[in-house]
Amino acid sequence: MYVRNAWYVAAWDHEIGRNMLRRVILDEPVVLYRTLEGKPVALEDRCCHRQAPLSMGKLLGNIVQCPYHGLQFDTAGACVKIPSQDRIPPSARVKSYPTVEKHHWIWIWPGDPAKADPALIEDFHWLGDAKWGWGGNYLHVDANYLLLVENLLDTTHLPFLHPDTLGTDAFARSEFEVAREGDRIRVSRWLMDKPPAPFHQQMGEFPEGMNVDRWQVTHYGPPSFVKLDVGSAPAGAGMRTAQDRSSRWMNMWNLNAITPETQTSAHYFFAQAYNFKLDQKWLADMLRNQIRDIFLQDMAMLKAQQVNIDLRPLPAPVNLGQDKAWVAMRQIVERLAKEEQQHMLDCAA
């Protein structure tokens, strides 16, 4: 179940150069590279002749040469040379995907190119804001992409998967509220006047024995973007409003862009943005690695879930009160995917 008319992250900006990078995105093989002028390009990584991966071939200026029989393709996907003959059939081309470089990510539009409006790219402005530092990374997910979105929307797992970093015993019963506005979901969690989680203690440098007010406000946008406003402040400091949270104490945004690879795998691009110690450059590298190590615990659980789902997809899961957000998320994605499919059928009729 994919929403194709959407922008997805295909790669970090530093991953793409004059090399050719292969990524499978929504079951489609894609080759990514930069032109001599530095513009990112995304083509179908499958020669129209015998389906050889173009990523195994060569870049000749801005032209991709197939490694098998030498067919050459321009940045629009059109075949411009066939070594064995002069005539180039009109159908000799590969798919070209709209791409945009923004927020240190290379974005790709797998759906109808006519609908690829860059204004629809999800807001991740923290990755280019001088008021915020950040450390980012990538993980491959051996599970369906929506399992990861669920994981980020329901964080009552923190005391159990991450007891040494993010979890405290009280967090599973923290005060929470789910709000929906159109196709966007907000999950607000509050844990007031409690000892800080180990990771928050480390980042906030709270005195030993001090209790804190902890917040975690999760924002979901379709099809698979999750942004978490997280932090802690001394108990009673008044952190209920976004303005207060971003101006004092230890505030971070955990930024997540999940791109489906196949029905049972995904690409996970994430960053941790922070508004403190901006003059200490080591912090970005530390967060990049520490958050990755925390998320590796999630990846192990998602992989185990996927194994069980593949063995027996039914019966339907038992939903709890804490599952309101991800149930709504799946309804949104399913509706958007079905609307796209129906539109395609209507156009073909």
Side-chain angles (χ1 to χ4, degrees), residues 103-139:
H103 306 314
H104 292 280
W105 282 331
I106 307 299
W107 297 79
I108 186 171
W109 182 276
D112 181 356
K115 297 181 179 180
D117 181 358
L120 298 176
I121 290 176
E122 186 72 16
D123 177 23
F124 284 95
H125 69 270
W126 298 266
L127 301 183
D129 189 334
K131 296 178 182 178
W132 292 83
W134 60 275
N137 220 317
Y138 165 87
L139 287 172

PDB file of all heavy atoms in Angstrom, residues 103-139:
ATOM      1  N   HIS A 103      16.684  20.714   2.391  1.00  0.00           N
ATOM      2  CA  HIS A 103      16.878  20.247   3.765  1.00  0.00           C
ATOM      3  C   HIS A 103      17.982  19.182   3.849  1.00  0.00           C
ATOM      4  O   HIS A 103      17.877  18.238   4.652  1.00  0.00           O
ATOM      5  CB  HIS A 103      15.588  19.670   4.360  1.00  0.00           C
ATOM      6  CG  HIS A 103      14.400  20.577   4.297  1.00  0.00           C
ATOM      7  ND1 HIS A 103      14.445  21.903   4.652  1.00  0.00           N
ATOM      8  CD2 HIS A 103      13.116  20.345   3.904  1.00  0.00           C
ATOM      9  CE1 HIS A 103      13.238  22.439   4.492  1.00  0.00           C
ATOM     10  NE2 HIS A 103      12.424  21.529   4.033  1.00  0.00           N
ATOM     11  N   HIS A 104      19.010  19.296   3.020  1.00  0.00           N
ATOM     12  CA  HIS A 104      20.123  18.331   2.986  1.00  0.00           C
ATOM     13  C   HIS A 104      19.679  16.944   2.508  1.00  0.00           C
ATOM     14  O   HIS A 104      20.419  15.974   2.665  1.00  0.00           O
ATOM     15  CB  HIS A 104      20.799  18.221   4.353  1.00  0.00           C
ATOM     16  CG  HIS A 104      21.544  19.455   4.750  1.00  0.00           C
ATOM     17  ND1 HIS A 104      22.804  19.742   4.262  1.00  0.00           N
ATOM     18  CD2 HIS A 104      21.206  20.496   5.551  1.00  0.00           C
ATOM     19  CE1 HIS A 104      23.212  20.887   4.773  1.00  0.00           C
ATOM     20  NE2 HIS A 104      22.262  21.373   5.541  1.00  0.00           N
ATOM     21  N   TRP A 105      18.501  16.851   1.933  1.00  0.00           N
ATOM     22  CA  TRP A 105      18.004  15.596   1.399  1.00  0.00           C
ATOM     23  C   TRP A 105      17.714  15.729  -0.093  1.00  0.00           C
ATOM     24  O   TRP A 105      17.393  16.820  -0.591  1.00  0.00           O
ATOM     25  CB  TRP A 105      16.723  15.166   2.129  1.00  0.00           C
ATOM     26  CG  TRP A 105      16.973  14.565   3.483  1.00  0.00           C
ATOM     27  CD1 TRP A 105      18.073  13.888   3.889  1.00  0.00           C
ATOM     28  CD2 TRP A 105      16.081  14.579   4.614  1.00  0.00           C
ATOM     29  NE1 TRP A 105      17.942  13.468   5.192  1.00  0.00           N
ATOM     30  CE2 TRP A 105      16.727  13.883   5.665  1.00  0.00           C
ATOM     31  CE3 TRP A 105      14.808  15.098   4.833  1.00  0.00           C
ATOM     32  CZ2 TRP A 105      16.142  13.697   6.916  1.00  0.00           C
ATOM     33  CZ3 TRP A 105      14.218  14.920   6.082  1.00  0.00           C
ATOM     34  CH2 TRP A 105      14.886  14.226   7.109  1.00  0.00           C
ATOM     35  N   ILE A 106      17.823  14.621  -0.808  1.00  0.00           N
ATOM     36  CA  ILE A 106      17.401  14.543  -2.200  1.00  0.00           C
ATOM     37  C   ILE A 106      16.009  13.934  -2.210  1.00  0.00           C
ATOM     38  O   ILE A 106      15.817  12.790  -1.783  1.00  0.00           O
ATOM     39  CB  ILE A 106      18.369  13.682  -3.046  1.00  0.00           C
ATOM     40  CG1 ILE A 106      19.813  14.159  -2.879  1.00  0.00           C
ATOM     41  CG2 ILE A 106      17.943  13.688  -4.511  1.00  0.00           C
ATOM     42  CD1 ILE A 106      20.060  15.591  -3.312  1.00  0.00           C
ATOM     43  N   TRP A 107      15.032  14.708  -2.679  1.00  0.00           N
ATOM     44  CA  TRP A 107      13.637  14.285  -2.691  1.00  0.00           C
ATOM     45  C   TRP A 107      13.263  13.768  -4.079  1.00  0.00           C
ATOM     46  O   TRP A 107      13.697  14.306  -5.087  1.00  0.00           O
ATOM     47  CB  TRP A 107      12.728  15.449  -2.318  1.00  0.00           C
ATOM     48  CG  TRP A 107      12.948  15.968  -0.928  1.00  0.00           C
ATOM     49  CD1 TRP A 107      13.953  16.795  -0.505  1.00  0.00           C
ATOM     50  CD2 TRP A 107      12.153  15.699   0.223  1.00  0.00           C
ATOM     51  NE1 TRP A 107      13.833  17.066   0.835  1.00  0.00           N
ATOM     52  CE2 TRP A 107      12.726  16.401   1.306  1.00  0.00           C
ATOM     53  CE3 TRP A 107      10.984  14.944   0.437  1.00  0.00           C
ATOM     54  CZ2 TRP A 107      12.175  16.361   2.601  1.00  0.00           C
ATOM     55  CZ3 TRP A 107      10.454  14.911   1.717  1.00  0.00           C
ATOM     56  CH2 TRP A 107      11.044  15.608   2.787  1.00  0.00           C
ATOM     57  N   ILE A 108      12.425  12.738  -4.098  1.00  0.00           N
ATOM     58  CA  ILE A 108      12.000  12.122  -5.358  1.00  0.00           C
ATOM     59  C   ILE A 108      10.488  11.986  -5.358  1.00  0.00           C
ATOM     60  O   ILE A 108       9.866  11.764  -4.309  1.00  0.00           O
ATOM     61  CB  ILE A 108      12.685  10.745  -5.536  1.00  0.00           C
ATOM     62  CG1 ILE A 108      12.382  10.151  -6.906  1.00  0.00           C
ATOM     63  CG2 ILE A 108      12.271   9.770  -4.437  1.00  0.00           C
ATOM     64  CD1 ILE A 108      13.199   8.900  -7.214  1.00  0.00           C
ATOM     65  N   TRP A 109       9.887  12.142  -6.541  1.00  0.00           N
ATOM     66  CA  TRP A 109       8.429  12.025  -6.709  1.00  0.00           C
ATOM     67  C   TRP A 109       8.159  10.807  -7.577  1.00  0.00           C
ATOM     68  O   TRP A 109       8.369  10.827  -8.785  1.00  0.00           O
ATOM     69  CB  TRP A 109       7.890  13.286  -7.371  1.00  0.00           C
ATOM     70  CG  TRP A 109       6.406  13.320  -7.567  1.00  0.00           C
ATOM     71  CD1 TRP A 109       5.708  12.767  -8.604  1.00  0.00           C
ATOM     72  CD2 TRP A 109       5.433  13.960  -6.731  1.00  0.00           C
ATOM     73  NE1 TRP A 109       4.365  13.011  -8.459  1.00  0.00           N
ATOM     74  CE2 TRP A 109       4.161  13.741  -7.324  1.00  0.00           C
ATOM     75  CE3 TRP A 109       5.510  14.690  -5.539  1.00  0.00           C
ATOM     76  CZ2 TRP A 109       2.984  14.237  -6.757  1.00  0.00           C
ATOM     77  CZ3 TRP A 109       4.328  15.171  -4.974  1.00  0.00           C
ATOM     78  CH2 TRP A 109       3.096  14.951  -5.578  1.00  0.00           C
ATOM     79  N   PRO A 110       7.674   9.692  -7.003  1.00  0.00           N
ATOM     80  CA  PRO A 110       7.467   8.458  -7.782  1.00  0.00           C
ATOM     81  C   PRO A 110       6.187   8.446  -8.603  1.00  0.00           C
ATOM     82  O   PRO A 110       5.998   7.550  -9.432  1.00  0.00           O
ATOM     83  CB  PRO A 110       7.408   7.359  -6.710  1.00  0.00           C
ATOM     84  CG  PRO A 110       7.724   8.026  -5.414  1.00  0.00           C
ATOM     85  CD  PRO A 110       7.452   9.476  -5.580  1.00  0.00           C
ATOM     86  N   GLY A 111       5.283   9.400  -8.378  1.00  0.00           N
ATOM     87  CA  GLY A 111       3.983   9.372  -9.023  1.00  0.00           C
ATOM     88  C   GLY A 111       3.928  10.164 -10.316  1.00  0.00           C
ATOM     89  O   GLY A 111       4.902  10.256 -11.058  1.00  0.00           O
ATOM     90  N   ASP A 112       2.777  10.755 -10.587  1.00  0.00           N
ATOM     91  CA  ASP A 112       2.547  11.518 -11.802  1.00  0.00           C
ATOM     92  C   ASP A 112       3.431  12.767 -11.804  1.00  0.00           C
ATOM     93  O   ASP A 112       3.267  13.640 -10.941  1.00  0.00           O
ATOM     94  CB  ASP A 112       1.068  11.920 -11.854  1.00  0.00           C
ATOM     95  CG  ASP A 112       0.712  12.714 -13.106  1.00  0.00           C
ATOM     96  OD1 ASP A 112       1.610  13.032 -13.907  1.00  0.00           O
ATOM     97  OD2 ASP A 112      -0.483  13.014 -13.274  1.00  0.00           O
ATOM     98  N   PRO A 113       4.376  12.883 -12.750  1.00  0.00           N
ATOM     99  CA  PRO A 113       5.286  14.036 -12.753  1.00  0.00           C
ATOM    100  C   PRO A 113       4.568  15.378 -12.838  1.00  0.00           C
ATOM    101  O   PRO A 113       5.068  16.380 -12.322  1.00  0.00           O
ATOM    102  CB  PRO A 113       6.154  13.793 -13.990  1.00  0.00           C
ATOM    103  CG  PRO A 113       6.065  12.328 -14.246  1.00  0.00           C
ATOM    104  CD  PRO A 113       4.688  11.931 -13.830  1.00  0.00           C
ATOM    105  N   ALA A 114       3.401  15.402 -13.457  1.00  0.00           N
ATOM    106  CA  ALA A 114       2.667  16.660 -13.590  1.00  0.00           C
ATOM    107  C   ALA A 114       2.196  17.200 -12.244  1.00  0.00           C
ATOM    108  O   ALA A 114       1.881  18.391 -12.133  1.00  0.00           O
ATOM    109  CB  ALA A 114       1.476  16.456 -14.524  1.00  0.00           C
ATOM    110  N   LYS A 115       2.152  16.361 -11.237  1.00  0.00           N
ATOM    111  CA  LYS A 115       1.678  16.778  -9.921  1.00  0.00           C
ATOM    112  C   LYS A 115       2.819  17.057  -8.947  1.00  0.00           C
ATOM    113  O   LYS A 115       2.564  17.325  -7.761  1.00  0.00           O
ATOM    114  CB  LYS A 115       0.755  15.704  -9.339  1.00  0.00           C
ATOM    115  CG  LYS A 115      -0.505  15.479 -10.161  1.00  0.00           C
ATOM    116  CD  LYS A 115      -1.404  14.431  -9.529  1.00  0.00           C
ATOM    117  CE  LYS A 115      -2.688  14.243 -10.353  1.00  0.00           C
ATOM    118  NZ  LYS A 115      -3.584  13.230  -9.761  1.00  0.00           N
ATOM    119  N   ALA A 116       4.051  17.002  -9.420  1.00  0.00           N
ATOM    120  CA  ALA A 116       5.223  17.117  -8.544  1.00  0.00           C
ATOM    121  C   ALA A 116       5.521  18.577  -8.203  1.00  0.00           C
ATOM    122  O   ALA A 116       6.460  19.183  -8.730  1.00  0.00           O
ATOM    123  CB  ALA A 116       6.428  16.455  -9.206  1.00  0.00           C
ATOM    124  N   ASP A 117       4.748  19.144  -7.309  1.00  0.00           N
ATOM    125  CA  ASP A 117       4.916  20.530  -6.880  1.00  0.00           C
ATOM    126  C   ASP A 117       5.906  20.579  -5.719  1.00  0.00           C
ATOM    127  O   ASP A 117       5.636  20.022  -4.644  1.00  0.00           O
ATOM    128  CB  ASP A 117       3.562  21.090  -6.441  1.00  0.00           C
ATOM    129  CG  ASP A 117       3.633  22.539  -6.004  1.00  0.00           C
ATOM    130  OD1 ASP A 117       4.738  23.115  -5.999  1.00  0.00           O
ATOM    131  OD2 ASP A 117       2.567  23.099  -5.666  1.00  0.00           O
ATOM    132  N   PRO A 118       7.068  21.237  -5.865  1.00  0.00           N
ATOM    133  CA  PRO A 118       8.037  21.315  -4.766  1.00  0.00           C
ATOM    134  C   PRO A 118       7.483  21.938  -3.493  1.00  0.00           C
ATOM    135  O   PRO A 118       8.002  21.686  -2.394  1.00  0.00           O
ATOM    136  CB  PRO A 118       9.166  22.183  -5.353  1.00  0.00           C
ATOM    137  CG  PRO A 118       9.057  21.982  -6.825  1.00  0.00           C
ATOM    138  CD  PRO A 118       7.580  21.860  -7.097  1.00  0.00           C
ATOM    139  N   ALA A 119       6.422  22.735  -3.605  1.00  0.00           N
ATOM    140  CA  ALA A 119       5.818  23.349  -2.427  1.00  0.00           C
ATOM    141  C   ALA A 119       5.201  22.296  -1.501  1.00  0.00           C
ATOM    142  O   ALA A 119       4.914  22.592  -0.332  1.00  0.00           O
ATOM    143  CB  ALA A 119       4.752  24.360  -2.847  1.00  0.00           C
ATOM    144  N   LEU A 120       4.999  21.074  -2.011  1.00  0.00           N
ATOM    145  CA  LEU A 120       4.397  20.007  -1.209  1.00  0.00           C
ATOM    146  C   LEU A 120       5.424  19.251  -0.367  1.00  0.00           C
ATOM    147  O   LEU A 120       5.049  18.378   0.416  1.00  0.00           O
ATOM    148  CB  LEU A 120       3.669  19.017  -2.126  1.00  0.00           C
ATOM    149  CG  LEU A 120       2.499  19.578  -2.939  1.00  0.00           C
ATOM    150  CD1 LEU A 120       1.944  18.511  -3.878  1.00  0.00           C
ATOM    151  CD2 LEU A 120       1.410  20.121  -2.026  1.00  0.00           C
ATOM    152  N   ILE A 121       6.704  19.576  -0.510  1.00  0.00           N
ATOM    153  CA  ILE A 121       7.743  18.888   0.268  1.00  0.00           C
ATOM    154  C   ILE A 121       7.536  19.181   1.756  1.00  0.00           C
ATOM    155  O   ILE A 121       7.314  20.323   2.162  1.00  0.00           O
ATOM    156  CB  ILE A 121       9.143  19.329  -0.187  1.00  0.00           C
ATOM    157  CG1 ILE A 121       9.433  18.769  -1.588  1.00  0.00           C
ATOM    158  CG2 ILE A 121      10.219  18.880   0.796  1.00  0.00           C
ATOM    159  CD1 ILE A 121      10.747  19.232  -2.178  1.00  0.00           C
ATOM    160  N   GLU A 122       7.624  18.142   2.561  1.00  0.00           N
ATOM    161  CA  GLU A 122       7.420  18.267   4.005  1.00  0.00           C
ATOM    162  C   GLU A 122       8.450  19.229   4.616  1.00  0.00           C
ATOM    163  O   GLU A 122       9.606  19.268   4.213  1.00  0.00           O
ATOM    164  CB  GLU A 122       7.535  16.887   4.665  1.00  0.00           C
ATOM    165  CG  GLU A 122       7.199  16.850   6.131  1.00  0.00           C
ATOM    166  CD  GLU A 122       5.723  17.012   6.435  1.00  0.00           C
ATOM    167  OE1 GLU A 122       4.898  16.851   5.520  1.00  0.00           O
ATOM    168  OE2 GLU A 122       5.390  17.291   7.609  1.00  0.00           O
ATOM    169  N   ASP A 123       8.010  19.973   5.603  1.00  0.00           N
ATOM    170  CA  ASP A 123       8.860  20.973   6.255  1.00  0.00           C
ATOM    171  C   ASP A 123       9.828  20.315   7.235  1.00  0.00           C
ATOM    172  O   ASP A 123       9.406  19.738   8.234  1.00  0.00           O
ATOM    173  CB  ASP A 123       7.991  21.995   6.984  1.00  0.00           C
ATOM    174  CG  ASP A 123       8.821  23.026   7.749  1.00  0.00           C
ATOM    175  OD1 ASP A 123       9.995  23.232   7.380  1.00  0.00           O
ATOM    176  OD2 ASP A 123       8.294  23.623   8.705  1.00  0.00           O
ATOM    177  N   PHE A 124      11.110  20.412   6.924  1.00  0.00           N
ATOM    178  CA  PHE A 124      12.168  19.993   7.842  1.00  0.00           C
ATOM    179  C   PHE A 124      13.179  21.133   7.976  1.00  0.00           C
ATOM    180  O   PHE A 124      14.380  20.927   7.854  1.00  0.00           O
ATOM    181  CB  PHE A 124      12.844  18.721   7.331  1.00  0.00           C
ATOM    182  CG  PHE A 124      12.036  17.467   7.537  1.00  0.00           C
ATOM    183  CD1 PHE A 124      11.228  16.970   6.529  1.00  0.00           C
ATOM    184  CD2 PHE A 124      12.076  16.787   8.747  1.00  0.00           C
ATOM    185  CE1 PHE A 124      10.480  15.808   6.706  1.00  0.00           C
ATOM    186  CE2 PHE A 124      11.329  15.627   8.941  1.00  0.00           C
ATOM    187  CZ  PHE A 124      10.531  15.133   7.923  1.00  0.00           C
ATOM    188  N   HIS A 125      12.683  22.329   8.236  1.00  0.00           N
ATOM    189  CA  HIS A 125      13.522  23.531   8.198  1.00  0.00           C
ATOM    190  C   HIS A 125      14.636  23.518   9.235  1.00  0.00           C
ATOM    191  O   HIS A 125      15.628  24.230   9.090  1.00  0.00           O
ATOM    192  CB  HIS A 125      12.658  24.782   8.408  1.00  0.00           C
ATOM    193  CG  HIS A 125      12.106  24.901   9.798  1.00  0.00           C
ATOM    194  ND1 HIS A 125      10.899  24.359  10.164  1.00  0.00           N
ATOM    195  CD2 HIS A 125      12.608  25.490  10.910  1.00  0.00           C
ATOM    196  CE1 HIS A 125      10.675  24.613  11.440  1.00  0.00           C
ATOM    197  NE2 HIS A 125      11.698  25.301  11.922  1.00  0.00           N
ATOM    198  N   TRP A 126      14.505  22.723  10.293  1.00  0.00           N
ATOM    199  CA  TRP A 126      15.540  22.653  11.320  1.00  0.00           C
ATOM    200  C   TRP A 126      16.909  22.302  10.735  1.00  0.00           C
ATOM    201  O   TRP A 126      17.941  22.684  11.273  1.00  0.00           O
ATOM    202  CB  TRP A 126      15.161  21.605  12.375  1.00  0.00           C
ATOM    203  CG  TRP A 126      13.909  21.895  13.111  1.00  0.00           C
ATOM    204  CD1 TRP A 126      13.766  22.545  14.306  1.00  0.00           C
ATOM    205  CD2 TRP A 126      12.584  21.525  12.710  1.00  0.00           C
ATOM    206  NE1 TRP A 126      12.444  22.614  14.667  1.00  0.00           N
ATOM    207  CE2 TRP A 126      11.692  21.992  13.713  1.00  0.00           C
ATOM    208  CE3 TRP A 126      12.055  20.851  11.618  1.00  0.00           C
ATOM    209  CZ2 TRP A 126      10.317  21.798  13.641  1.00  0.00           C
ATOM    210  CZ3 TRP A 126      10.689  20.666  11.541  1.00  0.00           C
ATOM    211  CH2 TRP A 126       9.831  21.131  12.532  1.00  0.00           C
ATOM    212  N   LEU A 127      16.902  21.556   9.621  1.00  0.00           N
ATOM    213  CA  LEU A 127      18.160  21.105   9.031  1.00  0.00           C
ATOM    214  C   LEU A 127      18.873  22.209   8.257  1.00  0.00           C
ATOM    215  O   LEU A 127      19.942  21.961   7.701  1.00  0.00           O
ATOM    216  CB  LEU A 127      17.899  19.908   8.110  1.00  0.00           C
ATOM    217  CG  LEU A 127      17.250  18.692   8.781  1.00  0.00           C
ATOM    218  CD1 LEU A 127      17.117  17.542   7.798  1.00  0.00           C
ATOM    219  CD2 LEU A 127      18.034  18.248  10.007  1.00  0.00           C
ATOM    220  N   GLY A 128      18.283  23.397   8.224  1.00  0.00           N
ATOM    221  CA  GLY A 128      18.963  24.511   7.566  1.00  0.00           C
ATOM    222  C   GLY A 128      18.866  25.799   8.357  1.00  0.00           C
ATOM    223  O   GLY A 128      19.123  26.876   7.831  1.00  0.00           O
ATOM    224  N   ASP A 129      18.497  25.689   9.644  1.00  0.00           N
ATOM    225  CA  ASP A 129      18.275  26.856  10.496  1.00  0.00           C
ATOM    226  C   ASP A 129      19.493  27.058  11.394  1.00  0.00           C
ATOM    227  O   ASP A 129      19.871  26.161  12.153  1.00  0.00           O
ATOM    228  CB  ASP A 129      17.013  26.631  11.335  1.00  0.00           C
ATOM    229  CG  ASP A 129      16.578  27.869  12.096  1.00  0.00           C
ATOM    230  OD1 ASP A 129      17.427  28.723  12.398  1.00  0.00           O
ATOM    231  OD2 ASP A 129      15.371  27.985  12.403  1.00  0.00           O
ATOM    232  N   ALA A 130      20.082  28.251  11.345  1.00  0.00           N
ATOM    233  CA  ALA A 130      21.283  28.537  12.138  1.00  0.00           C
ATOM    234  C   ALA A 130      21.020  28.496  13.640  1.00  0.00           C
ATOM    235  O   ALA A 130      21.964  28.382  14.433  1.00  0.00           O
ATOM    236  CB  ALA A 130      21.833  29.904  11.748  1.00  0.00           C
ATOM    237  N   LYS A 131      19.754  28.564  14.044  1.00  0.00           N
ATOM    238  CA  LYS A 131      19.421  28.512  15.464  1.00  0.00           C
ATOM    239  C   LYS A 131      19.410  27.088  16.002  1.00  0.00           C
ATOM    240  O   LYS A 131      19.205  26.878  17.209  1.00  0.00           O
ATOM    241  CB  LYS A 131      18.048  29.150  15.701  1.00  0.00           C
ATOM    242  CG  LYS A 131      17.998  30.631  15.366  1.00  0.00           C
ATOM    243  CD  LYS A 131      16.600  31.184  15.576  1.00  0.00           C
ATOM    244  CE  LYS A 131      16.526  32.662  15.199  1.00  0.00           C
ATOM    245  NZ  LYS A 131      15.146  33.202  15.350  1.00  0.00           N
ATOM    246  N   TRP A 132      19.616  26.115  15.103  1.00  0.00           N
ATOM    247  CA  TRP A 132      19.572  24.716  15.511  1.00  0.00           C
ATOM    248  C   TRP A 132      20.816  23.991  14.992  1.00  0.00           C
ATOM    249  O   TRP A 132      21.235  24.189  13.846  1.00  0.00           O
ATOM    250  CB  TRP A 132      18.324  24.015  14.954  1.00  0.00           C
ATOM    251  CG  TRP A 132      17.055  24.521  15.558  1.00  0.00           C
ATOM    252  CD1 TRP A 132      16.354  25.638  15.190  1.00  0.00           C
ATOM    253  CD2 TRP A 132      16.344  23.944  16.653  1.00  0.00           C
ATOM    254  NE1 TRP A 132      15.252  25.791  15.986  1.00  0.00           N
ATOM    255  CE2 TRP A 132      15.217  24.765  16.891  1.00  0.00           C
ATOM    256  CE3 TRP A 132      16.541  22.814  17.448  1.00  0.00           C
ATOM    257  CZ2 TRP A 132      14.297  24.487  17.907  1.00  0.00           C
ATOM    258  CZ3 TRP A 132      15.615  22.539  18.448  1.00  0.00           C
ATOM    259  CH2 TRP A 132      14.520  23.362  18.666  1.00  0.00           C
ATOM    260  N   GLY A 133      21.372  23.142  15.834  1.00  0.00           N
ATOM    261  CA  GLY A 133      22.367  22.186  15.371  1.00  0.00           C
ATOM    262  C   GLY A 133      21.680  20.863  15.112  1.00  0.00           C
ATOM    263  O   GLY A 133      20.544  20.640  15.551  1.00  0.00           O
ATOM    264  N   TRP A 134      22.345  19.965  14.403  1.00  0.00           N
ATOM    265  CA  TRP A 134      21.719  18.668  14.143  1.00  0.00           C
ATOM    266  C   TRP A 134      22.772  17.633  13.748  1.00  0.00           C
ATOM    267  O   TRP A 134      23.836  17.951  13.241  1.00  0.00           O
ATOM    268  CB  TRP A 134      20.655  18.772  13.050  1.00  0.00           C
ATOM    269  CG  TRP A 134      21.164  19.262  11.714  1.00  0.00           C
ATOM    270  CD1 TRP A 134      21.316  20.550  11.317  1.00  0.00           C
ATOM    271  CD2 TRP A 134      21.616  18.451  10.617  1.00  0.00           C
ATOM    272  NE1 TRP A 134      21.826  20.621  10.044  1.00  0.00           N
ATOM    273  CE2 TRP A 134      22.015  19.344   9.591  1.00  0.00           C
ATOM    274  CE3 TRP A 134      21.713  17.079  10.403  1.00  0.00           C
ATOM    275  CZ2 TRP A 134      22.514  18.897   8.365  1.00  0.00           C
ATOM    276  CZ3 TRP A 134      22.209  16.624   9.183  1.00  0.00           C
ATOM    277  CH2 TRP A 134      22.601  17.531   8.184  1.00  0.00           C
ATOM    278  N   GLY A 135      22.425  16.391  14.000  1.00  0.00           N
ATOM    279  CA  GLY A 135      23.200  15.253  13.533  1.00  0.00           C
ATOM    280  C   GLY A 135      22.262  14.259  12.888  1.00  0.00           C
ATOM    281  O   GLY A 135      21.229  13.910  13.480  1.00  0.00           O
ATOM    282  N   GLY A 136      22.567  13.819  11.662  1.00  0.00           N
ATOM    283  CA  GLY A 136      21.661  12.947  10.922  1.00  0.00           C
ATOM    284  C   GLY A 136      22.305  11.641  10.517  1.00  0.00           C
ATOM    285  O   GLY A 136      23.534  11.513  10.517  1.00  0.00           O
ATOM    286  N   ASN A 137      21.475  10.680  10.127  1.00  0.00           N
ATOM    287  CA  ASN A 137      21.983   9.362   9.775  1.00  0.00           C
ATOM    288  C   ASN A 137      20.953   8.627   8.910  1.00  0.00           C
ATOM    289  O   ASN A 137      19.887   9.162   8.580  1.00  0.00           O
ATOM    290  CB  ASN A 137      22.295   8.555  11.043  1.00  0.00           C
ATOM    291  CG  ASN A 137      23.573   7.747  10.922  1.00  0.00           C
ATOM    292  OD1 ASN A 137      23.820   7.137   9.883  1.00  0.00           O
ATOM    293  ND2 ASN A 137      24.377   7.740  11.961  1.00  0.00           N
ATOM    294  N   TYR A 138      21.287   7.392   8.570  1.00  0.00           N
ATOM    295  CA  TYR A 138      20.431   6.533   7.735  1.00  0.00           C
ATOM    296  C   TYR A 138      20.483   5.112   8.273  1.00  0.00           C
ATOM    297  O   TYR A 138      21.543   4.624   8.705  1.00  0.00           O
ATOM    298  CB  TYR A 138      20.918   6.540   6.281  1.00  0.00           C
ATOM    299  CG  TYR A 138      20.340   5.415   5.429  1.00  0.00           C
ATOM    300  CD1 TYR A 138      19.128   5.571   4.768  1.00  0.00           C
ATOM    301  CD2 TYR A 138      20.989   4.186   5.312  1.00  0.00           C
ATOM    302  CE1 TYR A 138      18.587   4.545   4.002  1.00  0.00           C
ATOM    303  CE2 TYR A 138      20.461   3.153   4.553  1.00  0.00           C
ATOM    304  CZ  TYR A 138      19.261   3.333   3.906  1.00  0.00           C
ATOM    305  OH  TYR A 138      18.732   2.305   3.157  1.00  0.00           O
ATOM    306  N   LEU A 139      19.347   4.435   8.251  1.00  0.00           N
ATOM    307  CA  LEU A 139      19.280   3.012   8.566  1.00  0.00           C
ATOM    308  C   LEU A 139      18.394   2.316   7.539  1.00  0.00           C
ATOM    309  O   LEU A 139      17.421   2.907   7.047  1.00  0.00           O
ATOM    310  CB  LEU A 139      18.705   2.777   9.969  1.00  0.00           C
ATOM    311  CG  LEU A 139      19.596   3.103  11.161  1.00  0.00           C
ATOM    312  CD1 LEU A 139      18.797   3.002  12.456  1.00  0.00           C
ATOM    313  CD2 LEU A 139      20.821   2.185  11.210  1.00  0.00           C
TER     314      LEU A 139
END
